[in-house]
Amino acid sequence: MHIEELATQVVPLSRELIAAAQKRFDNLIKPVGSLAQLEEMTSRYAAIVGSSDKQLVVVPSVRILLLWGTERCKDQIEAILLGKAPVLALAEQVRAKVLPQFLTSENMYDYLEEGAMLTSEYVREEKAGVLCQGCFSPSPAPERWRPLVAEEDGLRFLEELGEPEISAMAGSILQAAGLRIPVLLDGVATCLAALAAAKFNSAVLEYCYAGTETEEEGAAELLALLGRKAPLKLHLSDSRGNGALACLDIFDAGIKAYREMETFEEAGVHAEEEKFSLKVQEDRKQAGEAR
């Protein structure tokens, strides 16, 4: 499937399902809004799954980190294949598999399609439920990508940027969204890939989560452009997937709260009055401070 056709397969998430999932959070036996960003992450995940039923919103059992590289990264790819890379220890801790990708295409369009093709194979063969993204090469500096942000054509954006790994990740993200698989981003390179993918179909960003805000220059700026807020800030200096892996446990925590905590109705007790909820109290406090 060519990338233009693939882009048409990405559909916006159901606002009704997101609202239904958030309503369950609001009715759990806890202060309204007290799980903060976990609630938004899980409500969106419920829409990706296609149901707000707590029995169907499950922690993904197969989790993959795709690490993209070219010939210049062959030593780092070999270290992972030999089991000697530090990232493998973190992946083991969060029950994820690290799959290094040795890219072989010759132009940015082919890198796009290579990324999409490999992702499709892994999702289907491994039955992956969530994808983390990372790359071996350093992220391009802001002076290279800032002039390109307004470019509406995704392929032209990638050609001007000239980064094979970012092109492959853009194809990967498009493919994952088309297959309704959530994607965890990590750092400037992966955010640039998501930005490029969104130029083919903006709905792709609804399937993307920010793992961590790295210390790379421009990281916060790119997250703002994507409309994503990272739950972690680990002072990482690259986009090699460590932040996305670390965020998996947080991703899981929101799902577990959604599934395992009881609503007032399920527990047979009276619901919390909204005027006494944490969210309302915080809103009132902020309104007072604004005055």
Side-chain angles (χ1 to χ4, degrees), residues 127-264:
K127 296 185 175 12
V130 60
L131 291 181
C132 299
Q133 297 281 355
C135 80
F136 293 106
S137 298
S139 299
E143 53 264 29
R144 285 186 54 199
W145 53 261
R146 279 186 183 131
L148 304 175
V149 167
E151 173 58 64
E152 295 181 358
D153 186 284
L155 181 57
R156 189 172 296 121
F157 172 87
L158 290 168
E159 288 174 340
E160 291 293 327
L161 193 60
E163 293 287 340
E165 294 96 332
I166 291 176
S167 293
M169 284 191 290
S172 177
I173 292 167
L174 276 165
Q175 182 68 80
L179 295 172
R180 302 187 72 87
I181 302 295
V183 176
L184 271 65
L185 308 173
D186 180 31
V188 164
T190 63
C191 287
L192 286 170
L195 181 64
K199 293 178 185 296
F200 290 91
N201 186 334
S202 60
V204 75
L205 295 180
E206 299 183 22
Y207 297 81
C208 293
Y209 295 80
T212 182
E213 180 185 327
T214 64
E215 289 198 330
E216 298 170 288
E217 188 178 359
E221 179 182 347
L222 275 172
L223 287 174
L225 283 172
L226 298 176
R228 292 291 165 261
K229 184 177 180 181
L232 294 173
K233 189 168 184 177
L234 300 176
H235 306 289
L236 299 172
S237 59
D238 55 44
S239 301
R240 296 192 180 186
N242 293 295
L245 288 175
C247 190
L248 277 175
D249 276 345
I250 293 176
F251 187 77
D252 294 350
I255 298 170
K256 283 181 170 292
Y258 188 86
R259 286 175 53 82
E260 297 175 13
M261 293 180 69
E262 291 185 313
T263 64
F264 287 94

Side-chain angles (χ1 to χ4, degrees), residues 79-175:
I80 290 178
L81 295 176
L82 293 175
K84 297 180 179 179
V87 69
L88 296 173
L90 178 56
E92 182 179 6
Q93 177 65 28
V94 295
R95 308 179 313 284
K97 180 182 290 188
V98 181
L99 299 175
Q101 305 302 305
F102 189 1
L103 298 167
T104 59
S105 296
E106 296 182 354
N107 59 65
M108 293 305 143
Y109 186 83
D110 287 346
Y111 282 121
L112 259 173
E113 295 216 327
E114 186 175 3
M117 177 193 67
L118 289 169
T119 299
S120 176
E121 291 176 0
Y122 284 124
V123 167
R124 290 191 167 95
E125 290 176 7
E126 303 282 347
K127 296 185 175 12
V130 60
L131 291 181
C132 299
Q133 297 281 355
C135 80
F136 293 106
S137 298
S139 299
E143 53 264 29
R144 285 186 54 199
W145 53 261
R146 279 186 183 131
L148 304 175
V149 167
E151 173 58 64
E152 295 181 358
D153 186 284
L155 181 57
R156 189 172 296 121
F157 172 87
L158 290 168
E159 288 174 340
E160 291 293 327
L161 193 60
E163 293 287 340
E165 294 96 332
I166 291 176
S167 293
M169 284 191 290
S172 177
I173 292 167
L174 276 165
Q175 182 68 80

Side-chain angles (χ1 to χ4, degrees), residues 24 157 203 227 246 270 276 281-282:
R24 172 170 175 77
F157 172 87
H270 294 296
F276 296 122
Q281 300 305 313
E282 288 181 343

Side-chain angles (χ1 to χ4, degrees), residues 13 17 44-53 56-58 180 182 207:
L13 296 180
L17 281 177
R44 194 149 45 90
Y45 177 63
I48 293 174
V49 170
S51 175
S52 60
D53 185 339
L56 300 178
V57 182
V58 299
R180 302 187 72 87
Y207 297 81

